Amino acid sequence: MAQLFTKDTQAIFWNNNASAIQRMLDYDFVIGRKTPSVAAIVAPTADSKFQKFFWGGDEIMINLYKTTAEAKKDYPNADVLLNFGSFRTAYDVTMDALNMGGFNTIMITAEGIPERLARKMNAVAREKNVTVIGPATVGAIAPGAFKIANIGGTIENIINSKLHRAGSCGLVTRSGGLFNELSNIIAINADGIAEGVAIGGDRFVGSVFIDNLLRMQDNPEVKYMLLLGEVGGTEEYKVIDAVKSSRITKPIIAWCIGTIAKHYSSGVQFGHAGASANAERETADAKNKAMAEVGIYVPESFNDLPNKIAEVYGKLKADGVISEIPEPAMNTVLKVRRSKQFICTISDDRGDEATYAGFPISSVATPDTGKGIGDVISLLWFKKQYPKWATQFIETVIKTVADHGPAVSGAHNAKVTARAGKSVVESLVTGLLTIGPRFGGAIDGAAEHFKYANDNNLSPAEFLNHMKKEGIPIPGIGHRIKSLRNPDLRVVGLKKFAAEHFPATPLLDYALTVEQLTTSKKDNLILNVDGTIGILMVDMWRALGYSETEIDEFISSGTLNAFFIAGRTIGFIGHVLDEKRLAMPMYRHPMDDILYQVDMAEEI
Ligand code: ACO
Ligand code: LMR
């Protein structure tokens, strides 16, 4: 790949380093990127599922994942890993990503990864043709396209250093601090940089000078290169060889810092782990001299570097190799931004017409749209367009549980409340609040326990024993009046629908073997309507391609009971309106229906 990054490059950011991510997003916004450069964040210990960031004056949500694999699964096109793990975890995170595949570039920020591990990691990356930037680096930038974390500093500094759009220089340094300094010098003396990499200060870094310069040689946007080496190591000699063999033909300006080292009696270790000369060849002076000998532009001193840049740039411009770069329009980031208090991901009322998960209400409301309440539920509860068989199943459930007469606990409570003079809404919620583990609210529990038993290959007898140990009746089994002799025809109807329309019903098939055992003990221990709904919803979601984690989340958040709540609301309202219509007086329970056994309270 001639270009390290483009305007479409997206990264997975390992570790929720919010300020660095915000800097990347601010940069994206300023340069007018369409998509955020950070697609996902891996935050192994985070409890939340997303984090809000500013996107200009607005806000966006970026998903948080526990592992790189999960993030990569959802964002397969994100081919850059920004590894902000500490020196203790950075190696494992990198190796994990290398083994996983799908990453072109991995940037490692940690300083001090054990050298043995760094060498192994770099060797594997090289084998797999993955560009590693670092360890111990601030990263890289392709101005106007993609910037890693804090490289280039603040937005003001970035614009001053012309890092908001591509220039002509390919810049490679070891140091991150000097990278920023040089970007500024290049902006003042030339037209900015086309691509820049700070390769990192550790002794064993992944991509070295030559790797980056060879890529820049092949990148048509780069017209000349600037290499800032330093005392220690022999990497600059590979560049010299490439110039000698004409593999590199673009002009290179280069300087090795650390020339002062010769004034010390023994080898001096400068700031970076790699910045120490172990032989004459590794001194800054020797390398500067050797580079100048093959025609690389080497200044007299670091102070002379700006003049050298101006000289080379001026020549290339005069020769017509470099032309004037038009300044692009830029967005500005507001100084004061307000974080939003609420988030909504299901509907939007800001336009002319409100939408349900992107669909205008008029596109689902009227009969001519062909959409029903199942479609509306699939949009507003699940943010998906379910296929017809699934939306029709949802509708079948809603209609099936709409009412079961006045005697059931919830309807009875709603009726008593209405007769006490309460409003429709008050009476309704009284009925709704009756829904629970014994009445209508066993659907989530049924899905959870039957799924657990089936996932763990428990035989029906083992499942019953397991539930006995748990000390709770099996949710979804048993009914007060329905039994083998008096079957619940709602259950028959739901099973028939599933047999005719579901691709497969493995969990229902398992549940029916459990029912055989429970009904052999007592004939009212049937798979009841709650159980059938819960189990078939799991079969539906599996057929729709949901992951087990997603299904478990639906169950634990109470989604399944919500189908009963939605359906039975219709019936409860009917009963309340019935009471109002009949103008029924206040209800008092007959005393002869109550067993009174009240003893005199003992004195203590
Ligand atoms: N799992 C295991 N054993 C059960 C279950 C069950 N789900 N339900 C009842 N039993 C057993 C009881 O332990 C009891 O055994 P015992 O006679 O040896 O003591 C016997 O069956 C009768 O128990 P009761 O509680 O008297 O049964 P009842 O018919 O009154 O209860 C109920 C009905 C409340 C629905 C009960 O079966 C239950 O709790 N089921 C689980 C919850 C459930 O699915 N509720 C939704 C029902 S459908 C709806 O509301 C829309
Ligand atoms: C219902 O749907 O409300 C019933 O299954 C419960 C009952 O007691 O009939």
Side-chain angles (χ1 to χ4, degrees):
M1 259 199 342
Q3 272 168 317
L4 190 57
F5 307 124
T6 70
K7 222 170 177 167
D8 297 321
T9 300
Q10 282 200 300
I12 291 173
F13 203 108
W14 204 99
N15 227 1
N16 191 2
N17 189 334
S19 62
I21 295 170
Q22 186 62 65
R23 281 217 168 137
M24 289 180 72
L25 301 177
D26 284 346
Y27 182 75
D28 295 345
F29 181 76
V30 166
I31 64 170
R33 266 184 70 119
K34 295 274 176 291
T35 48
S37 52
V38 177
I41 300 167
V42 183
T45 55
D47 286 331
S48 23
K49 293 185 174 167
F50 67 88
Q51 165 118 14
K52 283 194 298 163
F53 290 94
F54 286 110
W55 181 257
D58 221 328
E59 279 183 299
I60 54 170
M61 291 154 69
I62 299 190
N63 289 342
L64 301 179
Y65 294 87
K66 296 274 181 222
T67 64
T68 312
E70 287 167 297
K72 184 73 181 159
K73 185 166 164 273
D74 282 1
Y75 295 93
N77 293 333
D79 59 5
V80 175
L81 179 74
L82 301 181
N83 180 351
F84 274 68
S86 76
F87 73 92
R88 286 174 296 274
T89 48
Y91 169 80
D92 289 334
V93 171
T94 305
M95 291 304 280
D96 180 37
L98 286 170
N99 291 330
M100 193 177 305
F103 292 101
N104 288 329
T105 308
I106 299 179
M107 174 265 191
I108 304 156
T109 187
E111 199 173 323
I113 296 177
E115 291 185 349
R116 182 180 53 83
L117 297 182
R119 291 174 78 164
K120 190 167 158 204
M121 170 175 92
N122 296 337
V124 174
R126 211 164 265 283
E127 207 174 276
K128 294 185 184 273
N129 213 10
V130 174
T131 303
V132 167
I133 303 173
T137 178
V138 294
I141 184 168
F146 182 90
K147 158 183 129 73
I148 293 179
N150 293 320
I151 198 163
T154 61
I155 284 291
E156 290 78 17
N157 195 60
I158 281 174
I159 293 168
N160 287 337
S161 304
K162 296 199 177 112
L163 290 172
H164 59 285
R165 52 99 182 113
S168 312
C169 180
L171 173 62
V172 189
T173 70
R174 250 185 182 283
S175 147
L178 284 172
F179 181 96
N180 289 352
E181 187 59 38
L182 279 174
S183 305
N184 195 31
I185 293 174
I186 296 167
I188 293 167
N189 294 281
D191 65 0
I193 67 174
E195 185 183 298
V197 180
I199 63 167
D202 274 3
R203 184 175 290 276
F204 298 105
V205 290
S207 73
V208 289
F209 294 138
I210 187 67
D211 300 313
N212 290 291
L213 292 178
L214 288 178
R215 188 187 58 253
M216 290 172 182
Q217 165 72 27
D218 297 338
N219 178 353
E221 294 220 325
V222 174
K223 308 295 182 202
Y224 69 105
M225 279 98 87
L226 199 158
L227 164 64
L228 188 74
E230 62 184 29
V231 56
T234 56
E235 288 301 331
E236 289 82 353
Y237 291 99
K238 293 185 188 156
V239 179
I240 292 171
D241 290 344
V243 173
K244 272 199 210 153
S245 68
S246 297
R247 172 64 181 87
I248 293 183
T249 52
K250 291 179 183 172
I252 303 178
I253 307 165
W255 178 250
C256 272
I257 54 174
T259 49
I260 193 157
K262 62 177 175 289
H263 299 292
Y264 295 90
S265 49
S266 62
V268 172
Q269 168 76 61
F270 286 81
H272 292 148
S276 166
N278 296 321
E280 174 57 25
R281 243 168 85 75
E282 294 189 22
T283 63
D285 277 339
K287 294 199 274 191
N288 282 331
K289 187 162 171 284
M291 290 196 290
E293 277 167 11
V294 293
I296 292 176
Y297 293 89
V298 180
E300 292 296 310
S301 68
F302 187 80
N303 287 347
D304 186 37
L305 189 57
N307 293 335
K308 221 16 129 203
I309 295 168
E311 178 194 321
V312 173
Y313 171 72
K315 193 169 172 307
L316 290 170
K317 217 167 165 201
D319 293 349
V321 178
I322 295 177
S323 39
E324 203 61 46
I325 293 175
E327 284 301 329
M330 270 186 296
N331 296 320
T332 38
V333 170
L334 299 173
K335 286 261 178 292
V336 181
R337 297 188 280 198
R338 200 169 62 87
S339 180
K340 296 188 194 314
Q341 313 263 2
F342 280 92
I343 298 174
C344 173
T345 69
I346 60 166
S347 59
D348 191 341
D349 58 336
R350 289 172 301 176
D352 290 343
E353 187 182 7
T355 56
Y356 299 161
F359 287 84
I361 294 177
S362 58
S363 71
V364 293
T366 47
D368 56 306
T369 62
K371 304 288 181 193
I373 200 74
D375 296 276
V376 172
I377 287 181
S378 85
L379 292 175
L380 286 177
W381 290 13
F382 307 114
K383 304 190 288 178
K384 292 269 189 316
Q385 301 174 61
Y386 281 3
K388 203 80 203 151
W389 67 265
T391 59
Q392 282 182 340
F393 178 62
I394 291 174
E395 286 173 15
T396 304
V397 167
I398 301 283
K399 288 189 270 186
T400 300
V401 301
D403 193 37
H404 207 231
V408 306
S409 17
H412 175 81
N413 278 347
K415 285 168 84 67
V416 171
T417 310
R419 290 177 62 168
K422 301 289 246 175
S423 66
V424 172
V425 65
E426 288 162 322
S427 309
L428 167 65
V429 295
T430 306
L432 291 177
L433 290 173
T434 316
I435 295 173
R438 292 184 190 150
F439 163 69
I443 311 185
D444 285 302
E448 179 194 337
H449 288 96
F450 278 90
K451 184 172 178 300
Y452 169 86
N454 193 216
D455 289 351
N456 290 284
N457 295 319
L458 299 189
S459 69
E462 287 168 333
F463 179 35
L464 259 55
N465 271 339
H466 165 77
M467 293 305 291
K468 213 170 189 173
K469 277 198 204 115
E470 293 271 303
I472 43 168
I474 304 167
I477 290 283
H479 199 275
R480 259 287 152 87
I481 57 167
K482 297 295 174 189
S483 64
L484 282 184
R485 275 169 294 126
N486 172 26
D488 191 334
L489 295 180
R490 296 172 298 178
V491 172
V492 175
L494 291 170
K495 287 199 289 200
K496 182 166 176 285
F497 182 98
E500 286 167 5
H501 301 285
F502 278 40
T505 55
L507 195 58
L508 177 67
D509 301 343
Y510 172 71
L512 294 176
T513 65
V514 174
E515 185 192 37
Q516 267 176 14
L517 185 62
T518 54
T519 49
S520 71
K521 294 180 191 270
K522 221 176 195 115
D523 83 341
N524 77 325
L525 295 184
I526 51 161
L527 180 64
N528 62 36
V529 70
D530 278 18
T532 311
I533 293 169
I535 283 154
L536 281 177
M537 284 289 173
V538 173
D539 279 333
M540 177 187 82
W541 281 323
R542 282 181 168 156
L544 293 177
Y546 283 95
S547 70
E548 296 302 303
T549 317
E550 286 170 315
I551 296 175
D552 290 343
E553 278 179 11
F554 284 151
I555 295 172
S556 63
S557 59
T559 312
L560 290 150
N561 287 347
F563 289 107
F564 191 90
I565 296 166
R568 194 52 64 93
T569 294
I570 300 170
F572 288 162
I573 292 175
H575 286 293
V576 174
L577 294 178
D578 204 24
E579 294 297 339
K580 303 268 176 203
R581 193 167 37 237
L582 297 167
M584 291 296 286
M586 195 186 80
Y587 175 78
R588 196 171 196 283
H589 200 73
M591 289 155 82
D592 63 2
D593 190 35
I594 297 169
L595 166 65
Y596 293 94
Q597 190 184 326
V598 186
D599 296 331
M600 179 67 74
E602 276 179 37
E603 195 179 327
I604 41 175

